[in-house]
Amino acid sequence: MNQHIVKSFDNELDRIAGEIDRIGQMALDQIEAALDALMGRDAAAARVVVQADRAIDELERTIADDVLRVLALRQPMARDLREVYAALRISADIERIGDLAKNMAKRSLILDESPRNPAQDSLPRLVSLASELVRDALAAYHERDAEAALRVRNRDIELDRECTRVFRELLTYMAEDNKLISTCVQLMFLAKNMERIGDHATNIAESTWFLVQGEALPTDRAKGE
Amino acid sequence: MNQHIVKSFDNELDRIAGEIDRIGQMALDQIEAALDALMGRDAAAARVVVQADRAIDELERTIADDVLRVLALRQPMARDLREVYAALRISADIERIGDLAKNMAKRSLILDESPRNPAQDSLPRLVSLASELVRDALAAYHERDAEAALRVRNRDIELDRECTRVFRELLTYMAEDNKLISTCVQLMFLAKNMERIGDHATNIAESTWFLVQGEALPTDRAKGE
């Protein structure tokens, strides 16, 4: 294989890795923007988040196309094959994280029309725990750092515990004041979304581990459910 | 390439396709078993479902390994490449469906310990709508039938609407009787799980469409949220 072809192959892998960094940052921005819209009761900002999810969906498709093209034209082996495989899985997880941020924005539109629910103040902490996990998972991927990826998976348990605490708190609010029931339900689904974002961060960490180590992390782990 | 190698490649693709059929059936069985355990308040049966999810996780890993091996050793092109790509995506969706069935079994263990909630009777219909969608999506994949896949995606909207109806019903129950709040919350998450199973069935349908047609279905569709 001549030097030119090898170089161009490396460029394609770099491009895919760069696209993952980019789609990851888009998803992080969406989480933050959705939280701001929710806490600031800013319906216009929430609508912007809903619209912006489309760009994430499109970039995920572009990444899948790029991966398929590399697979078909370059027949990558070993580590290179794991690079494109990880890109495929990670971009799918990031796309779901984007969906969950969009869902948060949609729920904030519903919450905007209801009396303010004091339980809402538990949300920012959950959201930052979830987005830290995503940020750290993406950094572990960017650095190809298996140990950092492992730490993300272990820290997801903290987020699960915090979600459980918030669920209990919301149940108490609902039992004490019937008028809060429907907004508490919205907040529960929002808390659940953060738990799911944490699960996707864990998936990203697992894909990163596999990419670097060439073998899967064992499936078993303690769950904070 | 000699005839022997071509034959052996076809066998590998057939094997992967057969594994997808098998993991799909396992997930369908799990949904049914979880519903039976829930409605029959059968904690032992629910625990069997929780345990059995492990086999689905393991088969998903086997499929991913088989796909990576085919990619590395056979360098499939065009339709063959789409075959293995679809297998990878579809098995990931089925694995999530299995997780949601396991989650239903876990929630049934919680519901077992609470007074019976009459709203629970809305669940079987939701669960059958969701599992029909999965069954039809898997059949469309098995038959490589793009039109049947398209019908699955369109019918997912019905399931979303039925979920919304059940959510409203549950909110009414909660507002009328405080003692039902925590079981209604469990039922809401169960209804949400069915909505998510429908989304995964839709993903399977979209992967099938791509496999057969060689291009993606447009992302836009009406949502029954």
Side-chain angles (χ1 to χ4, degrees):
Chain A
M1 209 184 285
N2 75 38
Q3 194 56 35
H4 175 73
I5 290 173
V6 173
K7 186 82 172 57
S8 139
F9 178 42
D10 282 348
N11 287 349
E12 282 173 63
L13 289 185
D14 285 349
R15 188 170 80 151
I16 291 171
E19 283 167 342
I20 297 284
D21 290 343
R22 192 145 55 89
I23 195 176
Q25 190 55 52
M26 286 162 80
L28 280 170
D29 292 346
Q30 286 280 86
I31 297 172
E32 197 180 322
L35 179 65
D36 287 349
L38 176 71
M39 299 309 286
R41 300 178 81 90
D42 183 343
R47 282 191 205 97
V48 170
V49 173
V50 172
Q51 279 302 315
D53 183 56
R54 209 167 285 202
I56 293 183
D57 292 346
E58 277 162 20
L59 185 49
E60 193 221 355
R61 289 202 173 199
T62 303
I63 293 169
D65 288 346
D66 289 347
V67 164
L68 281 177
R69 205 181 41 246
V70 167
L71 285 171
L73 301 181
R74 305 291 183 179
Q75 291 109 30
M77 309 280 281
R79 167 86 184 218
D80 290 340
L81 179 57
R82 295 204 306 276
E83 278 283 344
V84 293
Y85 175 73
L88 207 55
R89 289 190 78 105
I90 291 174
S91 62
D93 279 301
I94 295 171
E95 190 269 331
R96 300 290 167 89
I97 292 171
D99 281 346
L100 292 163
K102 177 175 78 170
N103 187 266
M104 170 155 55
K106 282 186 178 175
R107 290 189 190 281
S108 88
L109 290 170
I110 300 169
L111 286 169
D112 272 358
E113 290 166 7
S114 321
R116 206 176 176 292
N117 185 325
Q120 189 174 313
D121 295 331
S122 293
L123 220 56
R125 186 174 140 70
L126 267 192
V127 177
S128 23
L129 277 173
S131 53
E132 267 170 46
L133 282 178
V134 176
R135 184 170 291 113
D136 292 353
L138 291 169
Y141 166 76
H142 183 82
E143 303 293 334
R144 306 295 187 269
D145 182 341
E147 292 306 318
L150 190 59
R151 285 195 297 277
V152 169
R153 197 175 76 157
N154 294 336
R155 271 178 46 220
D156 184 38
I157 297 166
E158 279 174 48
L159 171 61
D160 288 346
R161 282 199 194 114
E162 182 66 13
C163 284
T164 305
R165 199 191 60 69
V166 172
F167 289 147
R168 293 218 178 97
E169 184 183 274
L170 287 166
L171 280 175
T172 311
Y173 274 100
M174 288 158 101
E176 281 170 2
D177 183 354
N178 269 11
K179 290 188 297 301
L180 292 179
I181 287 177
S182 65
T183 49
C184 279
V185 164
Q186 293 297 332
L187 293 171
M188 276 197 171
F189 280 120
L190 283 169
K192 192 73 192 170
N193 283 358
M194 294 310 114
E195 197 180 287
R196 289 175 61 196
I197 286 180
D199 292 341
H200 288 295
T202 298
N203 292 344
I204 294 170
E206 288 173 355
S207 297
T208 300
W209 178 277
F210 174 73
L211 160 60
V212 178
Q213 306 287 54
E215 58 184 29
L217 266 171
T219 37
D220 271 342
R221 62 167 188 137
K223 271 292 249 179
E225 286 178 40
Chain B
M1 209 184 284
N2 74 38
Q3 195 55 36
H4 176 73
I5 290 173
V6 174
K7 186 85 171 58
S8 139
F9 178 42
D10 282 348
N11 286 348
E12 282 173 64
L13 289 185
D14 285 348
R15 186 169 81 150
I16 291 171
E19 284 167 342
I20 297 284
D21 290 342
R22 191 146 56 88
I23 195 176
Q25 191 53 52
M26 287 162 80
L28 280 170
D29 292 346
Q30 286 279 87
I31 297 172
E32 198 180 322
L35 179 66
D36 287 349
L38 176 71
M39 299 309 286
R41 299 178 80 90
D42 184 341
R47 281 190 206 96
V48 170
V49 173
V50 172
Q51 279 303 315
D53 183 56
R54 210 167 286 201
I56 293 184
D57 292 347
E58 277 163 20
L59 185 48
E60 193 220 355
R61 288 201 174 200
T62 303
I63 294 169
D65 287 346
D66 289 347
V67 165
L68 281 177
R69 205 180 41 247
V70 166
L71 285 172
L73 301 180
R74 304 293 183 179
Q75 290 110 28
M77 309 279 281
R79 168 85 184 218
D80 291 340
L81 179 57
R82 295 205 305 276
E83 278 284 344
V84 293
Y85 175 73
L88 205 55
R89 288 190 79 105
I90 291 174
S91 62
D93 279 302
I94 295 173
E95 190 268 331
R96 299 291 166 88
I97 292 171
D99 282 346
L100 292 163
K102 177 174 78 171
N103 187 266
M104 170 154 57
K106 283 186 177 175
R107 290 189 191 280
S108 89
L109 289 170
I110 300 169
L111 287 169
D112 273 357
E113 290 167 6
S114 321
R116 202 175 179 294
N117 186 325
Q120 190 174 311
D121 295 331
S122 293
L123 220 56
R125 186 172 141 71
L126 267 193
V127 176
S128 21
L129 278 173
S131 50
E132 267 170 46
L133 282 179
V134 175
R135 184 170 292 113
D136 292 353
L138 291 169
Y141 167 74
H142 184 83
E143 303 294 334
R144 306 294 187 270
D145 182 341
E147 292 305 319
L150 191 58
R151 285 195 296 276
V152 169
R153 197 175 73 158
N154 293 336
R155 271 179 45 219
D156 183 39
I157 297 166
E158 281 174 46
L159 171 61
D160 288 347
R161 282 198 194 115
E162 183 65 14
C163 284
T164 305
R165 201 192 59 70
V166 171
F167 289 146
R168 293 219 178 97
E169 184 181 275
L170 287 166
L171 280 175
T172 312
Y173 275 100
M174 289 159 101
E176 281 169 2
D177 184 355
N178 269 10
K179 290 188 298 300
L180 292 178
I181 287 177
S182 66
T183 49
C184 278
V185 164
Q186 293 297 332
L187 293 171
M188 277 198 170
F189 280 120
L190 284 168
K192 192 75 192 167
N193 284 358
M194 294 309 115
E195 197 180 286
R196 288 174 62 196
I197 286 179
D199 292 342
H200 288 296
T202 299
N203 292 344
I204 294 170
E206 288 173 355
S207 296
T208 300
W209 178 276
F210 175 71
L211 159 61
V212 178
Q213 306 287 55
E215 59 186 29
L217 266 172
T219 39
D220 271 343
R221 61 167 187 136
K223 272 291 249 181
E225 285 177 41

